[in-house]
Amino acid sequence: MTLWSLSPVWFIDFSGSLGMIVVSCLCLGTARRINRKAPEHALASYLLWLSAAIFAFSISRSLGHIIKHGLYFSGYSDTWRHLSPVSGSINTLTFVVIGAVTLYFRQIETIMNRMSRDRDKITVFSRELLELNRDIESIVSERTRVEMGLRFAHEIRNPAMIIGGLARRMDKNMPEESPDRERLKQIVDQSEKLETLVNMLDQPEKKSSGKFEALELSALVEDVITIVQDEADRKGIIIILDRAPSPLTFQGNRHLIKIAFMHILRNGLESCASGDTIQVVTEAGERTVIAKFEDNGPGIPQEIADHIFDPFFTTREGSTGIGLPYVKQIIEEHNGSIVLSSSKNTGTLILIRLPPLLGELSRQE
Amino acid sequence: MKKNVKPGAAAVSFLVLLLIQAGNPANVSALQTHGGPEGLYAHQGAHLFLVISLVIFLLNIRRLQLKRYKAWRLFSGGAFLLAMWSIWAFIGHVAEIMTPESSFVTLPGHSVPFLQVGSWRDVLFYFVKMDHLVCLPALLFFYAGLKKLLSEFSENGTQ
């Protein structure tokens, strides 16, 4: 039997305990700095929790060991017998906390993945919103220009007509040899130019095809369903797309049509309950492309359905009542038509017809 | 004569009695007493729980392919060493129980005791008591990982 001094063991224990206190303090400090740099980052918060748990473990364990050695060398070894269970219990708790925090890593990873997906979605949505905003600004500016033109035409039409009419009558009655005849002819010419200008302003180009492009109806509907799918999943509502086998091309403004479809689907989601279904069908009609939105929700009473497209008509508190009228306006701007049929307890069907080329459907009707 | 007792006063009296009884548990037959071994079992159980949770942590890091990043390689190293330490400490506690008090002797002129080494069990006890050799590097790995992550956060923002 040999005797081995416990001095190396005690030295490693004492210096190791001091080292653990120092390193755990450094860990906690670094984790706090990370958290200050990115206070909303889930990983930064997680690392702070983990570092705090490791810090608690290191401090409780190391202090226990240092006190133990201190008591031994000061001749109070027996005191450690009383403190030992307390120190051991705190250690046990800190192990459990570290273990629990490390197990929570999986949840953090799930949260981070979800945040990342949501951030990507937000990026896409904000890009679309920016484009939409630009288009709306352009439409508003064009409308303002047209309205100003119409007002201007309205104000000067009568004076121009009167001046032109009187000048022509004077021209007819004026002798050929009159020295004023040439000047009067100039008045007639200029008033005719003015009348032509008024007519031009009075019949502005009804539609601007500049922002319209060839679109595929089924793909557009599918895009919109993708956007509202999360909301539908959360509410337990099933959205089914029954798309036409062949492409349904039409001329339209991508963002406006998307807004219109999104609004219809959101209305459906708001009125339907969990377990209900919204079926979206795209098909080719007679010289039209058709999108049908049908749900098996509670339906709309006839007295409300009759006014559903009236501006400012609403049955919901907090709603402006301009949603569906706006949808109607968008569809009509595309020379399309929108029809709603619904009655209480039978669901709602919204049928949208759009012409493949602008102006076509309105000419047919 | 019926006496009116206020609910607040009754609750306070009950709590005071409960505290008095808690100071004298032997008189309370419904209270289960916890002897020394239970504490040790709980502590050993906590060591095993720590090992299992760290192994799951390591598997998650591997599954997510986070080892591509240096910070996570360092965290993995730290978690691995901490799991090793927990096993080491578990064995240390078992060796401690198996080593009798009589194995320690204090020689004249020496303040630190000696261990009488007569079997592999005593050798095991001697070495497992130096668990800081594993525990401190584990923390150093973790600290290095945090430093690396801090520099990445500083360079790239929160992305």
Side-chain angles (χ1 to χ4, degrees):
Chain A
M1 187 173 287
T2 54
L3 288 175
W4 287 5
S5 171
L6 287 173
S7 297
V9 176
W10 284 25
F11 173 75
I12 288 172
D13 196 45
F14 187 79
S15 54
S17 297
L18 285 176
M20 282 193 61
I21 291 174
V22 173
V23 179
S24 66
C25 285
L26 289 171
C27 285
L28 187 62
T30 311
R32 282 188 63 184
R33 284 171 65 193
I34 293 173
N35 197 50
R36 271 201 295 270
K37 279 200 184 296
E40 290 171 358
H41 204 289
L43 180 62
S45 304
Y46 175 75
L47 288 173
L48 184 59
W49 275 97
L50 188 59
S51 302
I54 288 174
F55 175 78
F57 155 70
S58 302
I59 295 293
S60 73
R61 187 170 188 275
S62 303
L63 279 182
H65 284 224
I66 290 167
I67 290 168
K68 181 184 170 184
H69 292 303
L71 289 170
Y72 179 84
F73 287 110
S74 56
Y76 293 101
S77 288
D78 284 345
T79 312
W80 177 246
R81 290 184 195 281
H82 298 292
L83 292 177
S84 175
V86 178
S87 172
S89 305
I90 296 171
N91 269 345
T92 308
L93 285 173
T94 56
F95 296 165
V96 174
V97 171
I98 293 177
V101 174
T102 46
L103 283 178
Y104 194 65
F105 177 67
R106 195 179 167 78
Q107 303 301 319
I108 290 291
E109 182 247 329
T110 310
I111 292 167
M112 282 170 63
N113 280 347
R114 198 174 297 160
M115 283 171 71
S116 172
R117 277 201 305 273
D118 288 350
R119 191 176 56 204
D120 292 346
K121 274 187 188 173
I122 288 169
T123 310
V124 172
F125 289 163
S126 37
R127 198 184 305 128
E128 287 197 353
L129 276 173
L130 273 173
E131 283 176 16
L132 178 66
N133 196 35
R134 205 168 47 231
D135 283 359
I136 287 174
E137 275 177 9
S138 163
I139 289 167
V140 168
S141 131
E142 194 176 309
R143 283 205 175 159
T144 310
R145 185 177 62 79
V146 169
E147 275 178 18
M148 281 179 69
L150 285 171
R151 193 174 298 167
F152 179 68
H154 177 75
E155 294 295 330
I156 64 167
R157 183 189 301 113
N158 286 348
M161 292 289 182
I162 290 166
I163 292 168
L166 288 173
R168 275 189 290 275
R169 197 180 299 167
M170 283 171 72
D171 184 40
K172 203 182 282 179
N173 298 333
M174 191 172 274
E176 283 293 327
E177 63 280 3
S178 172
D180 294 328
R181 192 166 181 84
E182 190 53 37
R183 282 196 284 273
L184 190 62
K185 193 173 178 321
Q186 279 181 15
I187 291 171
V188 170
D189 287 348
Q190 294 306 313
S191 67
E192 276 173 359
K193 276 185 186 171
L194 204 56
E195 281 167 12
T196 311
L197 182 67
V198 167
N199 285 335
M200 276 170 64
L201 287 171
D202 209 14
Q203 293 176 336
E205 195 181 3
K206 293 285 182 196
K207 303 289 171 199
S208 166
S209 59
K211 290 160 205 70
F212 287 73
E213 58 187 312
L215 302 171
E216 206 284 302
L217 183 68
S218 302
L220 212 61
V221 170
E222 199 168 4
D223 280 357
V224 176
I225 290 175
T226 310
I227 294 169
V228 298
Q229 190 64 58
D230 271 358
E231 199 177 331
D233 291 344
R234 275 200 301 278
K235 292 188 171 177
I237 298 165
I238 303 151
I239 301 180
I240 301 165
L241 171 62
D242 183 3
R243 55 186 300 170
S246 53
L248 303 173
T249 312
F250 71 103
Q251 288 278 319
N253 182 303
R254 177 184 298 277
H255 298 298
L256 292 179
I257 290 288
K258 267 182 153 181
I259 281 187
F261 289 172
M262 209 179 317
H263 200 90
I264 291 168
L265 277 172
R266 287 236 160 91
N267 262 22
L269 290 175
E270 274 173 26
S271 58
C272 285
S274 178
D276 285 348
T277 306
I278 299 176
Q279 186 170 26
V280 188
V281 181
T282 57
E283 59 188 23
E286 196 184 336
R287 301 187 71 183
T288 57
V289 292
I290 297 172
K292 284 182 195 167
F293 299 82
E294 188 167 18
D295 68 55
N296 60 351
I300 305 166
Q302 196 55 49
E303 62 272 21
I304 294 174
D306 290 344
H307 300 282
I308 202 96
F309 292 118
D310 293 353
F312 309 112
F313 175 80
T314 180
T315 54
R316 283 202 308 269
E317 199 176 330
S319 166
T320 55
I322 56 170
L324 281 172
Y326 184 46
V327 170
K328 191 176 183 221
Q329 191 181 334
I330 290 172
I331 299 302
E332 285 177 350
E333 295 239 341
H334 285 74
N335 283 349
S337 70
I338 179 166
V339 179
L340 179 141
S341 56
S342 178
S343 57
K344 210 165 170 58
N345 302 323
T346 57
T348 304
L349 167 70
I350 292 181
L351 194 145
I352 292 172
R353 290 173 193 274
L354 290 161
L357 293 169
L358 281 177
E360 199 146 290
L361 192 64
S362 60
R363 273 205 299 275
Q364 288 168 42
E365 286 170 355
Chain B
M1 199 168 90
K2 196 177 174 184
K3 214 173 176 181
N4 285 333
V5 181
K6 287 182 180 172
V12 170
S13 309
F14 176 75
L15 280 174
V16 169
L17 281 171
L18 196 68
L19 285 171
I20 291 167
Q21 282 296 87
N24 189 13
N27 294 334
V28 187
S29 55
L31 190 74
Q32 188 190 355
T33 54
H34 296 270
E38 287 183 44
L40 181 66
Y41 294 161
H43 191 79
Q44 294 289 72
H47 272 299
L48 291 178
F49 173 66
L50 183 62
V51 172
I52 292 165
S53 57
L54 286 167
V55 167
I56 291 170
F57 181 68
L58 283 167
L59 289 174
N60 276 325
I61 289 175
R62 188 183 169 156
R63 182 177 58 83
L64 298 168
Q65 298 177 335
L66 290 171
K67 280 195 175 179
R68 285 174 294 168
Y69 310 105
K70 193 182 173 187
W72 286 98
R73 280 202 298 276
L74 291 163
F75 287 147
S76 293
F80 176 74
L81 285 174
L82 205 59
M84 287 296 107
W85 165 80
S86 198
I87 295 168
W88 185 300
F90 183 93
I91 296 167
H93 290 308
V94 175
E96 205 167 20
I97 297 163
M98 291 165 70
T99 309
E101 285 275 331
S102 56
S103 298
F104 302 98
V105 287
T106 307
L107 298 178
H110 291 273
S111 55
V112 179
F114 283 76
L115 177 70
Q116 289 179 319
V117 180
S119 68
W120 63 267
R121 196 185 58 208
D122 300 323
V123 176
L124 178 73
F125 173 81
Y126 193 86
F127 284 103
V128 291
K129 287 305 278 181
M130 292 187 274
D131 61 334
H132 280 97
L133 293 175
V134 185
C135 193
L136 187 58
L139 255 67
L140 285 168
F141 264 87
F142 190 69
Y143 173 59
L146 283 170
K147 286 286 283 181
K148 179 67 188 161
L149 213 58
L150 176 65
S151 68
E152 282 174 11
F153 267 73
S154 305
E155 283 167 19
N156 308 326
T158 58
Q159 297 302 308

